[in-house]
Amino acid sequence: MLPKKSKIIITLSLLSIVFFSFWINDSNAVQQKISIYLNGEQKTGWDPQFLNGRVYVPAKLIAESLGSKVSWEDNKKTVDINADIKMIASIPEEEIYVYALNKNENMYKDLIVSINGVKKVFDWETIAKIEDLPQLHYLDLNNDQKKELVIILSKGHGTGFSNKTIHIVNPENFTEYHIENPLDIIKNNVTTKIISDTEVDIKIGETISNIKLKDIPFKLSKLFPEKISEISYGNLIYYEISNHTIKAIIGVEGDYLKYVGDIIIEYDFKDGKFKMKNISFKKTSVTN
């Protein structure tokens, strides 16, 4: 009687993309079911083959799953794998590195997070500019006495526009913690009332902040609209990490992308998620 079938798990990492066969010292392996896991995700339909003590996996499927480009040159009978992997951020003393698998125009796409040699590919993107490379923080944010990896990325940067995104990764299993979207928080907690062409109220809870254009310091007058007919959010989104706390800073704008002040959101960890703890508005001020 044949032995009961069991499962062989082959886990692939970034360093294994050039080796597409694996030794297995098991005489019964040919009778067993072979399962392929790529960065913790099971891959079906890959049809691994067991030949002469090795398990073979199609190079094209592995490479393309890791974001590489694969092509076949019939004349030369060669397989060309193009994996333009670039390190874009690091905390060397913690053995933490972030790589970009692909670059499309001015964006890095398909980012690889490496922690102590273990790697995972995320379908994130960030702008490919030296001044906007990812910011990394490694600290305990949820008070579990273990550190989390915070990665702040940039979706874009320009005049009147700077949009950051944040990811919080558990280094033990590479899962992401959910963090409440700051624009959803504003939608649910902030009320705007246009009083006149030159005056607006921003209400958070029972607190009302009144903005009058005539009160704007002269040094900042060019940053403000000549009149206020609408208030918008979303063009300026930043994140700060200080004292083991996450803060989101969202720019408040009047007409024609003119800056009025900031909504400041402080997060707390609750029920397995990072949620709003405090929200406030800060008027623009000038420093002499």
Side-chain angles (χ1 to χ4, degrees), residues 183 186 190-192 202 231-236 250-253 263:
L183 297 181
I186 290 173
V190 179
T191 302
T192 301
I202 295 179
I231 290 292
S232 62
Y233 311 90
N235 286 313
L236 300 169
I250 298 88
V252 183
E253 296 175 314
I263 298 290

Side-chain angles (χ1 to χ4, degrees), residues 83-141:
D84 184 15
I85 301 171
K86 180 180 179 64
M87 189 179 73
I88 56 176
S90 67
I91 308 177
E93 62 274 19
E94 300 286 357
E95 296 188 56
I96 294 173
Y97 303 91
V98 177
Y99 304 88
L101 269 176
N102 296 297
K103 183 179 179 183
N104 184 4
E105 295 181 351
N106 67 334
M107 301 294 292
Y108 289 126
K109 295 178 178 291
D110 303 317
L111 305 188
I112 302 168
V113 176
S114 174
I115 304 175
N116 293 320
V118 180
K119 303 172 180 66
K120 182 175 180 178
V121 182
F122 293 88
D123 60 349
W124 304 334
E125 63 180 25
T126 190
I127 194 167
K129 291 184 178 179
I130 189 67
E131 65 270 23
D132 282 309
L133 293 179
Q135 303 171 35
L136 305 182
H137 302 268
Y138 195 49
L139 70 171
D140 181 12
L141 287 171

Side-chain angles (χ1 to χ4, degrees), residues 1 12 47 49 75 107 125 158 175 186 204 207 220 276:
M1 178 181 293
L12 305 177
D47 192 27
Q49 301 294 315
N75 292 335
M107 301 294 292
E125 63 180 25
T175 57
I186 290 173
I204 300 176
T207 302
L220 297 175
M276 182 195 76

